[in-house]
Amino acid sequence: MESTKILDAKGLACPMPIVKTKKAMNELEAGQVLEIHATDKGAKNDLAAWAKSGGHELLHTEEGDVFKFWTKKG
């Protein structure tokens, strides 16, 4: 999946992945995609809830040693 920007949030504990994601999304224009890499297990639920509440769309998630999320700015 193609992304406009990649955010490295690996090694950060809650709430930092969300804080960094919010800052990075503010730099994007509507329709652009942010790819987020995180290692915090809570990031999956946190990012899904944050995206929904902020009017953004969580397009895809990949799980492994590093969680990867693609979020489209609403």
Side-chain angles (χ1 to χ4, degrees):
M1 181 165 291
E2 191 169 327
S3 54
T4 305
K5 182 174 183 165
I6 297 175
L7 171 65
D8 182 0
K10 297 187 293 279
L12 300 176
C14 184
M16 290 312 294
I18 294 295
V19 171
K20 296 242 182 215
T21 297
K22 184 177 184 206
K23 185 176 186 237
M25 286 295 265
N26 286 338
E27 298 171 2
L28 298 181
E29 296 179 19
Q32 291 184 318
V33 176
L34 177 65
E35 181 178 337
I36 305 139
H37 298 178
T39 51
D40 180 25
K41 289 185 165 96
K44 183 176 181 182
N45 290 332
D46 292 346
L47 282 167
W50 177 84
K52 185 175 182 182
S53 71
H56 308 297
E57 182 181 358
L58 186 60
L59 300 173
H60 184 72
T61 303
E62 288 182 8
E63 294 187 35
D65 292 339
V66 175
F67 298 97
K68 295 182 181 179
F69 308 91
W70 286 264
T71 306
K72 183 177 183 180
K73 184 168 182 172

